[in-house]
Amino acid sequence: MDLDLWTEKYRPPTLGGIIGQKSIIESLTKFVQNRNVPHCLFTGPPGTSKTTAAMAMARDLFGETFDRNFMELNASDERGIDVVRNQIKNFARIMPAGDAPFKILVLDEADHLTADAQHALRRTMESYAGSCRMVLICNYSSRIIPPIQSRCAIFRFARLSDSSITERLKYITKKEKISANAAGIQAILYLAEGDMRAAINLLQASASAGETVDDKVVFAIAGRANPKAIKEMLDSVGENYEESLEKLRALIYQQGVSPVDLARQLHREVLKLNISENRKMAILERTAEAEFRIGEGASGEIQLSALLAHIGLERGES
Amino acid sequence: MSHKNLPWPELHRPTRLTQLAGNVDAIRELKEWVRAWISGSPNRKAALLIGPPGVGKTASVGALSHDYDLELVEFNSSDKRNKGSIENQVWKAATQQTLDGRLRLLLLDEVDGLSGTSDRGGVGAILKIIEETVHPIIMTANDPNSPRIKDLLKICKVFRFEPIEPNEMVGVIREIALAHDSLFSDEVLEGIVDKAGGDLRAAISDLETLSVSGRTSDEGLPSRDVRREVSDAFGRLFMTTDPETAKRVISELDIDYNQLLLWLEENAHLHLTTPEELDQGFEYLSLADLSLGRIWKCQNWKLLAYVYDFLAIGMSTSRKITPYRIVEYSQPSWPMLIWRGNREHDKESDFLLQIAKIASVSKNRAARTYKDAILEIVRQNPGLKDVFSNWLEIKKGFFDERSSRR
């Protein structure tokens, strides 16, 4: 089973298995108990259990008839008005199978539906409410037209806390019989930024090397620098520019971190520096500029060297 | 499927006019319009109901058909509505008599949702049907400024539906809660209504969510009122000087970056009152805007993180002298200004087109050579306004607006 994707393998099949989002899961569980689900709109950043919650709710509700009463459409693949007028309407108008009270249609990435398609959806939601309930999933509810929002119960999913992600990662390491130390988990948390999917993918990739998952492996797999190395580079920049330049080159050429990723990590570390907010913002401005120039084809090393020089100036004056 | 299982907004959809909440005047006039149809002398053959979601537009049509015993035929945007299908299906329904001789009430729901591509020619076909119909036609739309309903506004009797008053909404959802043996305190009911922002369907749906999930307070219920949500967030954003807090406030706000930028542009000056603060704040706004432009141009989405930081940290740290105060935030105005500008442009365009036709020149040439001359003539002799507006087949107001502006 080595080919399994852990994000799918460990996707909790039931609402009870979902970590975090406590009050939302409580509400959904009650919906299942009462066998009545309103049209729902799940919004929130990626990797915060939105799709998992929608599927788990349907599975809890339907049991054995899940396959016949559940459909998932990814709206970013099929996002035109014809999808709504054909596929969705055809699914929604047919009565549920077995003893299910209604069917459930999950529209993933619903904010990618064109405005026209969203308009076409609104009466379908009402006309066939008896036979089908919809769960719309998106990152920002503001991209869903107001008449649709008006027809939905809205649930906002927050970024997952580090402790929730840690809990899940530890569970997976136990099941997969791999070893991961605290520094490794910490590194995954740093890179995942509250995104469970990213965290699990990173864990699987790191574990595939067959060694203990520690911070070194994780950062190497992700192609990122250890934040410690970035911090050291920033610390030496004021007094000894050459030294920090050497560190920069080591990161680019020895560890193979791409300059764009380095710029992003610098961005993150700069905000933690102990200098005035104005200076931070001045550095940030330069960082954004450097990242843009690199994107335009400028040399990463030169741009980052220049950025370091500027950071040295800002730090030296403070 | 049992009837009981319907979502509450459907289950409690009003079926008679007396059950409708709010918009008393609009509904009374609508009734008169239908009566005029029944007695055979409508002054306008079609009605257009305009208003935000969840205020009873579609529901009042259903109730009308019930109360006046009309055969209701509905076409909405889940059906294909291009020129061909409207000419075919809607035309048949509009021009043929019913079997039992009753009037038929045609509902064309969500006409502002006519698709630009797959419903091509739809509006033109509707206009033609309105001319020929022997049955009343009612259309609904949310957006009064939608270009798709521009031509419909001219020939339809327009009824405006407003958001429903909070106390009225509380009354409605209290009754619904009672019908389901769900007890909520007045405080919670008011909280639900408050968050629904005048949308009764949303309020009923939120009531259902709370009731079914067994919660007893409206805490955690997300606000549906963007303005209120943004106001809360901005209050916290400008109160703090801590960049981490500022970033968190912005990341929790559920509107996208384009709108966020507009909101900040409109409101930043309320907190940044000294020239230095304002200069710095708007510099960051401009940097955020620049980054967005670069993202679009190069599709380099990695820059998005900077947009948020420029906005969050830039705004919260720009306030240095002005003490924090509670202020009333206003909605971004420039989308509105652009719309107004376009409308001005449209009017001017009609005017120029007429001149262009009469003088057989291009519109550009008409603007360069004739426009100022005609405006000046009218300004010197206001009595000629009628003559010119009749001649050019434009509204008299056109000259009033322009001469007063000088």
Side-chain angles (χ1 to χ4, degrees):
Chain A
M1 293 293 272
D2 275 338
L3 286 172
D4 265 353
L5 266 182
W6 289 358
T7 48
E8 295 310 312
K9 190 171 170 186
Y10 293 101
R11 194 189 277 278
T14 62
L15 286 171
I18 295 176
I19 292 172
Q21 318 294 5
K22 203 163 149 269
S23 74
I24 295 178
I25 300 302
E26 268 172 27
S27 291
L28 300 185
T29 310
K30 284 277 167 49
F31 288 162
V32 172
Q33 281 169 10
N34 290 310
R35 297 183 70 69
N36 192 3
V37 181
H39 295 305
C40 296
L41 179 62
F42 291 178
T43 77
T48 51
S49 319
K50 298 185 295 295
T51 310
T52 304
M55 293 178 71
M57 177 170 72
R59 206 173 270 117
D60 284 357
L61 185 70
F62 296 141
E64 285 178 355
T65 59
F66 173 77
D67 287 336
R68 280 179 289 160
N69 289 316
F70 176 84
M71 181 163 92
E72 188 195 355
L73 270 181
N74 192 309
S76 70
D77 299 332
E78 303 158 87
R79 58 208 207 91
I81 193 165
D82 291 334
V83 175
V84 177
R85 285 178 180 169
N86 302 323
Q87 260 172 287
I88 294 181
K89 216 168 151 184
N90 285 339
F91 177 79
R93 64 166 33 132
I94 296 170
M95 286 293 139
D99 61 350
F102 41 74
K103 306 204 274 190
I104 288 186
L105 172 70
V106 170
L107 262 177
D108 220 338
E109 303 189 41
D111 41 355
H112 289 269
L113 281 176
T114 58
D116 286 345
Q118 293 189 33
H119 275 289
L121 196 58
R122 35 201 252 198
R123 275 305 270 172
T124 308
M125 291 176 79
E126 283 179 349
S127 308
Y128 303 113
S131 53
C132 180
R133 302 294 155 79
M134 300 193 187
V135 180
L136 277 64
I137 298 179
C138 65
N139 291 134
Y140 298 104
S141 68
S142 63
R143 291 195 193 141
I144 302 289
I145 58 170
I148 294 221
Q149 291 194 38
S150 159
R151 288 161 170 78
C152 293
I154 302 179
F155 293 96
R156 299 214 170 118
F157 286 66
R159 276 187 197 284
L160 291 166
S161 68
D162 283 356
S163 63
S164 302
I165 296 184
T166 308
E167 189 187 332
R168 196 69 188 160
L169 293 181
K170 287 202 169 142
Y171 171 80
I172 295 175
T173 53
K174 218 169 106 192
K175 282 272 170 187
E176 292 290 329
K177 300 194 178 61
I178 54 170
S179 67
N181 66 17
I185 300 280
Q186 208 53 45
I188 293 177
L189 293 178
Y190 170 85
L191 293 169
E193 298 184 69
D195 179 339
M196 182 73 92
R197 185 189 297 118
I200 296 177
N201 275 334
L202 198 52
L203 178 70
Q204 185 174 14
S206 307
S208 64
E211 297 160 32
T212 300
V213 176
D214 58 12
D215 51 344
K216 224 175 133 190
V217 176
V218 172
F219 286 120
I221 288 280
R224 298 296 186 83
N226 192 321
K228 266 189 243 154
I230 305 266
K231 195 163 181 309
E232 281 165 19
M233 182 169 78
L234 285 173
D235 281 343
S236 56
V237 77
E239 303 109 47
N240 192 340
Y241 177 70
E242 265 174 60
E243 197 185 314
S244 65
L245 201 56
E246 253 168 54
K247 284 181 176 142
L248 171 70
R249 290 191 179 136
L251 284 173
I252 297 180
Y253 297 115
Q254 286 167 24
Q255 300 198 23
V257 185
S258 83
V260 174
D261 286 338
L262 265 182
R264 294 207 69 197
Q265 285 193 273
L266 274 167
H267 168 191
R268 229 169 130 181
E269 293 306 317
V270 161
L271 292 176
K272 294 184 195 152
L273 286 179
N274 187 21
I275 52 174
S276 77
E277 295 305 329
N278 277 347
R279 294 192 185 283
K280 278 186 201 170
M281 288 306 286
I283 298 176
L284 211 60
E285 206 180 313
R286 286 296 189 100
T287 316
E289 187 65 33
E291 203 179 316
F292 169 70
R293 289 180 188 174
I294 296 170
E296 288 284 271
S299 147
E301 190 194 333
I302 293 177
Q303 293 302 324
L304 291 180
S305 310
L307 178 60
L308 280 180
H310 183 77
I311 295 174
L313 175 74
E314 296 284 350
R315 292 204 76 171
E317 284 176 8
S318 64
Chain B
M1 172 192 65
S2 78
H3 186 59
K4 229 180 75 197
N5 256 336
L6 280 173
W8 289 9
E10 288 307 304
L11 196 58
H12 298 279
R13 180 175 280 280
T15 50
R16 294 149 213 264
L17 289 167
T18 49
Q19 295 170 336
L20 286 162
N23 289 301
V24 182
D25 292 339
I27 290 168
R28 196 190 54 234
E29 286 170 32
L30 197 57
K31 262 162 52 179
E32 281 162 17
W33 178 78
V34 170
R35 277 207 210 101
W37 255 105
I38 292 171
S39 60
S41 59
N43 53 357
R44 299 253 172 147
K45 288 167 115 179
L48 180 56
L49 316 187
I50 303 180
V55 297
K57 298 184 299 298
T58 309
S60 61
V61 177
L64 276 173
S65 82
H66 173 274
D67 285 14
Y68 289 98
D69 189 28
L70 309 169
E71 180 186 302
L72 181 64
V73 180
E74 178 181 338
F75 299 89
N76 60 60
S77 53
S78 71
D79 311 307
K80 206 169 167 63
R81 298 193 293 190
N82 61 14
K83 188 162 175 280
S85 62
I86 287 178
E87 276 175 353
N88 192 4
Q89 296 169 18
V90 186
W91 187 82
K92 266 187 209 152
T95 54
Q96 294 173 356
Q97 293 296 338
T98 50
L99 286 174
D100 50 10
R102 284 190 301 170
L103 269 186
R104 182 182 282 140
L105 181 58
L106 272 75
L107 170 61
L108 296 177
D109 223 353
E110 310 147 2
V111 283
D112 50 348
L114 283 169
S115 166
T117 45
S118 61
D119 293 338
R120 194 164 291 284
V123 173
I126 293 175
L127 290 171
K128 209 167 141 240
I129 287 171
I130 292 176
E131 271 176 35
E132 297 173 14
T133 184
V134 296
H135 298 291
I137 298 179
I138 300 185
M139 286 161 282
T140 68
N142 291 127
D143 179 7
N145 307 328
S146 162
R148 287 167 195 166
I149 64 169
K150 207 177 106 192
D151 293 330
L152 294 174
L153 284 171
K154 290 180 197 155
I155 63 158
C156 294
K157 187 159 170 59
V158 176
F159 299 88
R160 301 261 174 188
F161 279 64
E162 305 292 334
I164 297 169
E165 293 294 322
N167 50 1
E168 222 166 331
M169 281 179 50
V170 171
V172 172
I173 64 171
R174 184 185 287 125
E175 265 180 47
I176 292 177
L178 279 177
H180 289 271
D181 294 325
S182 278
L183 289 178
F184 288 104
S185 68
D186 281 358
E187 217 176 11
V188 175
L189 294 179
E190 278 159 19
I192 294 174
V193 166
D194 205 25
K195 284 176 178 166
D199 180 340
L200 184 53
R201 172 177 39 220
I204 297 174
S205 170
D206 286 345
L207 177 77
E208 180 182 11
T209 304
L210 288 190
S211 170
V212 174
S213 59
R215 281 189 274 170
T216 50
S217 109
D218 61 307
E219 213 173 299
L221 205 63
S223 171
R224 292 165 181 274
D225 185 348
V226 179
R227 184 185 173 133
R228 206 182 119 135
E229 202 192 336
V230 172
S231 294
D232 286 351
F234 277 16
R236 281 182 288 148
L237 173 67
F238 283 102
M239 192 169 10
T240 185
T241 50
D242 171 40
E244 283 305 314
T245 313
K247 277 177 77 167
R248 202 176 51 243
V249 168
I250 291 299
S251 76
E252 282 168 2
L253 185 60
D254 186 24
I255 63 174
D256 73 10
Y257 33 84
N258 289 318
Q259 293 183 357
L260 180 60
L261 211 64
L262 293 178
W263 274 94
L264 282 170
E265 184 204 349
E266 188 73 30
N267 294 296
H269 69 279
L270 297 170
H271 288 290
L272 311 176
T273 52
T274 70
E276 288 78 18
E277 288 172 328
L278 206 57
D279 174 53
Q280 199 188 331
F282 270 85
E283 175 63 18
Y284 287 126
L285 204 60
S286 139
L287 282 169
D289 185 39
L290 174 71
S291 303
L292 272 180
R294 287 173 167 177
I295 289 172
W296 280 113
K297 208 173 152 198
C298 320
Q299 288 297 303
N300 183 357
W301 287 93
K302 286 187 166 169
L303 295 173
L304 193 58
Y306 294 103
V307 175
Y308 285 117
D309 282 358
F310 284 139
L311 294 177
I313 311 177
M315 283 297 154
S316 62
T317 57
S318 291
R319 185 177 63 81
K320 294 198 180 60
I321 304 159
T322 315
Y324 172 75
R325 56 206 176 106
I326 293 169
V327 291
E328 184 93 0
Y329 300 102
S330 43
Q331 232 150 4
S333 61
W334 79 251
M336 192 64 197
L337 291 176
I338 288 184
W339 173 75
R340 270 192 214 135
N342 284 344
R343 276 220 333 186
E344 278 303 303
H345 194 258
D346 282 350
K347 276 191 214 158
E348 181 128 337
S349 175
D350 289 345
F351 167 75
L352 294 176
L353 193 67
Q354 287 297 336
I355 300 178
K357 256 195 243 160
I358 292 166
S360 339
V361 293
S362 72
K363 264 164 74 177
N364 276 338
R365 181 160 292 268
R368 282 202 306 271
T369 53
Y370 293 87
K371 188 180 109 187
D372 286 343
I374 293 177
L375 289 180
E376 189 60 28
I377 294 169
V378 172
R379 203 171 70 87
Q380 300 280 352
N381 309 289
L384 290 175
K385 250 186 244 170
D386 286 344
V387 182
F388 271 98
S389 51
N390 284 337
W391 182 47
L392 293 169
E393 293 171 32
I394 53 174
K395 289 205 179 99
K396 248 192 297 180
F398 176 81
F399 292 112
D400 293 333
E401 285 162 28
R402 270 160 188 74
S403 49
S404 63
R405 215 181 288 159
R406 293 209 167 178

